[in-house]
């Protein structure tokens, strides 16, 4: 599990996004969950995107968001947590991303330079 804040990027950024990565194996089952944490958050809609070699999965529903997939090939995959353009419902605040996996991918979850 890794945690960050969404909606705190400085100008000229319009929408905040945080990118995480993990290494997975062909046939490995993964479940990625995005959940709000803490107090003082606003809105309830964010975008959770899991993508990589031959894989794109998306959840734009109200938090918590969940993406489940079986990885098609071995390689590096990315998780993007992004603000949604929904006036009055756009999530901004503290959150955590959790990666559960049937093999070892959960050990490799890491933030990138996009996570502040």
């Amino acid at each position: 599990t890794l945690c960050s804040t969404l909606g705190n990027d400085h100008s000229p950024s319009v929408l905040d996004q945080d990118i995480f990565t993990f290494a997975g194996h062909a046939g490995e089952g993964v479940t990625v969950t995005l959940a709000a944490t803490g107090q003082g958050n606003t809105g309830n809609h964010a975008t959770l995107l899991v993508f990589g070699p031959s894989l794109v999965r998306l959840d734009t529903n109200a938090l918590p968001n969940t993406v489940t997939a079986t990885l098609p090939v071995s390689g590096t995959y990315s998780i993007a947590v992004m603000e949604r353009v929904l006036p009055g419902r756009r999530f901004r605040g503290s959150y955590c991303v959790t990666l559960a996996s049937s093999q070892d991918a959960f050990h490799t979850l890491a933030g990138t330079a996009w996570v502040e």
Side-chain angles (χ1 to χ4, degrees), residues 63-116:
L63 274 75
N65 300 80
T66 301
V67 169
T68 300
T70 299
L71 303 181
V73 298
S74 295
T76 299
Y77 290 83
S78 297
I79 300 167
V81 175
M82 302 173 283
E83 286 185 85
R84 287 195 56 206
V85 184
L86 291 173
R89 299 189 327 177
R90 178 189 313 179
F91 174 78
R92 287 186 168 178
S94 301
Y95 71 87
C96 291
V97 170
T98 302
L99 171 63
S101 61
S102 63
Q103 295 180 36
D104 294 326
F106 71 95
H107 288 297
T108 66
L109 179 63
T112 67
W114 284 90
V115 180
E116 61 288 327

Side-chain angles (χ1 to χ4, degrees), residues 27-54:
E28 184 171 8
V30 297
T31 300
V32 179
T33 304
L34 167 64
T37 61
Q39 297 179 357
N41 298 332
T42 60
N44 64 348
H45 280 75
T47 297
L48 175 62
L49 173 65
V50 178
F51 61 99
S54 302

